[in-house]
Structures are given as C-alpha cells and as structure tokens.
Amino acid sequence: MESGLGSLLKIILTNLDVLACYASVKAIEHPSPVSAGRWLSYWVIYSIITLVELTFADIIKWIPLWLYAKLGFVCWLMYFNGAAYVYRVYLRPFYMNPQHTINSLLAPMKKTLEQNGGSFKDLIQKPALSIGNVGQLATDLLVSSMKAERIGYLDDPFVLPCVGNDAFGPIPCGDLALPLEAYESPSNGLTLLQQRSPVVMGRMVEFAKNMANFAAASGKKHVVLLSGLDFGKWQKIDMSSGLQIYYLSSTTPDGRDDHCERLGWKRLQEYNPAQRCWKYLSTLAEGNTTLENNFPFEDDLEEEDYYPSLPFASLFSCFKAKGLKVTCLLCYCSEGDNMQDAFHLAEAACRLLELNPSTFRGNEESSWVIPLSWQTVYGPPPDVSIF
C-alpha cells in the first residue's frame, strides 16, 4: 500500500511540475512583471528543494511522510502565493543585505598593515568602468610606482566576475588578477582598491553601499575616488592651464573644498545636491528607500542627469552617507589612448594626499613605474606552468 501511495504521489508531483511549466510559459507571455516574478520565485525555491533532495537522498528517504509534506508545500508555493512569500521574507533579505557580504568581503592574502601595528590615512577606490578607464589606469600607475603589495581580494556579488593575468609582476608567476583587489603601500600609509570589472546593471547603489560599509569597518576616514568624464559633455572648456582636474568633495553641502581650490582645481560645476537624481541617490544611500529601479531610465535622462547617473556619483553618495570624507578627482577624456590622462589623474591624487612622486622608485627618466600590463593589449603573457 505504501508503495502504491508513493507512486501515486510521484505521479501527482510530476503533473504539478507540468502545470507549473504551463503556468510559467503563460507568465512569460503575460505583460505584467508580477506574474513572471511569482513563477521565477517558485522555480528558485523548487530548485533549492531539488538540490537538497539530491544531496541528502539517503537521509530524506527515512523521513516519515516526506512525500506528503513536499506535496503540500509545493501546492502552497504554486497556488497560494507561497513562493513569493518565501522569497520576500527569507531569500531576498539574505541576498540583498550588504552585511552578509561585508562580513567576508576581504579575503586577505597575509597580515594587513593594521595587524602589523601600522595605520592607513586614506583609501582610494575607483568607481566601475568609466570613460577611457582612466581611474583604473591611474590606480594601476599608483600601485606600480609605490610598489604597493596586494593584500587580498574583495568579494562582492554585484561585480561581474572576471580573471586575468597579474598586471604588475615583471615575469609571469601564476598570480591572477580578479575584479576587486586591495593593495597596501606601508611607506605612504595608503590603501588602494582596484576594480577591473563593471557592476551588474541596476546594482550600482548596492555595490557602493558595500564599499562604504567596508571602508567604515576598516577604520578609514578619507576616501578618494578617481574617475573619467565624457569629453563630449564638457560644457565650459578651459585649456589655458592644460588638462583640468575637477573635484567634488563632501566637506561642504555644495561640494566645495578649500584645499582642492588652493591646488587650482575646479569644483564640478554641474553638481547640484537639490537636483532630482542627486537627491534620489542621497535618499538611497541613507537607506530611506530600496527602490533603485525608480532611477530614470537612460532614455529618460536629461542633460542634468548625466553626472549623477555615473558610477562615481553612487560611490560618492554612499561614502558620504556613511560619514566618511570623500573627494572625487575627475578629468574629462575620450576613448582611446588614455595613458596621459592616467598620469594626470595619478599626479592629482598625489598632490591631494601630499605625496611626492619623485620619491617613488621609478626609472632614471621618470619617477613613475609603468605597469607591465600597459606593454601589451591583454597584459603580460600567462605563466606557461598553469597549462
């Protein structure tokens, strides 16, 4: 009898799957995203159940009434909006809560400077891919010239995974470059974060919150963001003093900073904290809402929305909301060979942090050490031993 009931339940469960597949197809064709979201939630949860069954099959077969319990649970998921409830109450908070990420964000390779009794005065974090990748190139230049040591990798679910060759080793040694890396320069009391991969679309604010939480938990006080801006958006061109550095600071509500002004830089004129997108970013950063999808679509962006739509704006807002001092160093550039722009931005970072590039251990002609990755299109050749 038990065998017959078990077979009957298996048939019923199989038919439920067929019904679920049919309902899912209807949801795909349905214009409402609510229906599609409901069935996506169902299949996520059902996949988890299946994985658990496959993994613990030898144990589950001894659980009394397992098939009856599964049948009732699956029916509740399908027909009583249970899937949406489980996802909203249990799965989504676990996935979305930045604290789960920050607890294991840094995967250290060795003891950090703080553990060795030292201290950092700043943290440099460049935003996600910007125009010409100037922020990334400048960070590479600083890491290479300062002989900064890689101390670990950062794991964040909102950054697209990628892997590449080590950007700095003089010879291939089997080390790999990952999307987010942390470097230390003990002699300069500096931490540098390098980002080599873009953020998942629609997750920039959540990524920025993770970075802000990490910086605050690490005891940092000042964050410097390096980024390029689209030369085509430059409204007031002034080449009288060469390449111009623009800045944006959290020191004052209007973004001005006396130290940056004394260095001859200009505040980003388009910054207006009362403008709708800047205001919306501040609201998100402060945690008053999680509706990031309400941010205007790219096709709906107006001229004044360009700057707050860039990655550096989300990072600036989230670091500021965390109570950290933030200074954005920005330069206008175009796609192409941006090495000169990278030198310009790296020199600006040194001036801001009162570092002297002449003290870096460069070659005879320059104090800057050109990263090995700049010598070839795809970085240095791989270590053949990995094959």
Side-chain angles (χ1 to χ4, degrees):
M1 177 64 72
E2 278 297 318
S3 177
L5 282 176
S7 299
L8 178 62
L9 287 176
K10 289 180 181 179
I11 294 173
I12 294 174
L13 286 173
T14 302
N15 290 333
L16 284 175
D17 288 348
V18 172
L19 293 174
C21 289
Y22 174 73
S24 300
V25 172
K26 287 185 64 178
I28 293 173
E29 300 299 329
H30 197 280
S32 172
V34 176
S35 180
R38 172 189 171 188
W39 286 104
L40 279 173
S41 301
Y42 167 79
W43 285 114
V44 167
I45 298 168
Y46 190 83
S47 298
I48 294 174
I49 296 174
T50 303
L51 287 174
V52 171
E53 281 189 315
L54 293 174
T55 305
F56 302 102
D58 293 337
I59 298 175
I60 290 177
K61 69 181 181 180
W62 295 104
I63 299 177
L65 305 177
W66 166 254
L67 288 176
Y68 294 98
K70 180 182 177 182
L71 175 60
F73 184 64
V74 170
C75 288
W76 178 69
L77 291 177
M78 289 175 57
Y79 299 111
F80 298 95
N81 207 28
Y85 175 81
V86 172
Y87 179 80
R88 183 177 68 254
V89 176
Y90 297 103
L91 297 183
R92 190 175 189 275
F94 179 81
Y95 176 74
M96 300 294 288
N97 187 0
Q99 189 62 38
H100 291 287
T101 303
I102 295 305
N103 285 340
S104 59
L105 183 62
L106 178 63
M109 298 176 63
K110 59 188 299 182
K111 285 187 176 181
T112 63
L113 187 58
E114 286 102 333
Q115 293 171 323
N116 289 329
S119 62
F120 298 120
K121 63 180 181 180
D122 289 286
L123 174 138
I124 291 183
Q125 159 69 48
K126 78 156 261 350
L129 297 180
S130 58
I131 301 298
N133 299 341
V134 178
Q136 291 171 305
L137 293 172
T139 301
D140 267 350
L141 191 59
L142 289 168
V143 170
S144 180
S145 300
M146 293 181 181
K147 297 295 189 291
E149 184 179 6
R150 183 167 51 192
I151 60 170
Y153 305 96
L154 286 83
D155 181 25
D156 189 281
F158 305 123
V159 175
L160 293 175
C162 72
V163 65
N165 301 321
D166 179 31
F168 306 108
I171 57 174
C173 56
D175 289 339
L176 296 176
L178 296 180
L180 286 171
E181 300 174 327
Y183 293 85
E184 284 182 0
S185 176
S187 60
N188 297 293
L190 194 65
T191 302
L192 302 100
L193 298 185
Q194 177 61 292
Q195 180 182 344
R196 304 186 185 280
S197 181
V199 175
V200 175
M201 184 176 295
R203 300 296 189 183
M204 188 62 220
V205 172
E206 292 162 304
F207 166 73
K209 287 182 178 179
N210 283 351
M211 294 294 100
N213 288 336
F214 170 71
S218 302
K220 302 302 182 288
K221 304 299 181 183
H222 186 191
V223 179
V224 180
L225 302 175
L226 308 179
S227 179
L229 301 175
D230 185 1
F231 190 86
K233 299 288 185 178
W234 202 357
Q235 298 178 0
K236 298 180 180 179
I237 301 178
D238 179 13
M239 298 298 291
S240 59
S241 56
L243 293 175
Q244 179 66 53
I245 289 291
Y246 288 84
Y247 77 89
L248 184 60
S249 173
S250 64
T251 305
T252 59
D254 65 352
R256 295 186 181 277
D257 182 270
D258 292 338
H259 180 53
C260 292
E261 293 289 334
R262 288 193 295 269
L263 292 174
W265 301 333
K266 298 180 179 180
R267 183 187 70 96
L268 185 65
Q269 298 170 336
E270 292 77 9
Y271 175 67
N272 179 7
Q275 188 261 340
R276 62 166 184 165
C277 286
W278 282 110
K279 196 171 182 179
Y280 182 67
L281 279 178
S282 297
T283 302
L284 286 176
E286 292 167 2
N288 296 330
T289 179
T290 58
L291 300 177
E292 186 173 346
N293 290 333
N294 286 345
F295 197 84
F297 292 106
E298 185 173 353
D299 293 341
D300 299 329
L301 293 179
E302 300 176 0
E303 191 68 27
E304 63 179 9
D305 297 324
Y306 165 69
Y307 295 94
S309 70
L310 296 181
F312 86 88
S314 295
L315 289 162
F316 173 78
S317 299
C318 290
F319 282 122
K320 182 180 178 181
K322 205 66 179 177
L324 303 172
K325 179 182 178 181
V326 195
T327 306
C328 299
L329 298 183
L330 313 164
C331 68
Y332 285 91
C333 60
S334 301
E335 296 289 354
D337 185 354
N338 299 109
M339 292 185 182
Q340 187 60 39
D341 298 313
F343 278 106
H344 188 53
L345 198 56
E347 289 169 357
C350 288
R351 292 184 64 194
L352 177 72
L353 302 176
E354 299 180 350
L355 301 175
N356 187 357
S358 63
T359 62
F360 300 157
R361 292 170 289 177
N363 54 40
E364 297 180 356
E365 298 179 357
S366 172
S367 56
W368 296 102
V369 178
I370 306 299
L372 185 65
S373 59
W374 288 21
Q375 299 178 15
T376 56
V377 176
Y378 299 105
D383 181 4
V384 294
S385 64
I386 67 176
F387 303 109

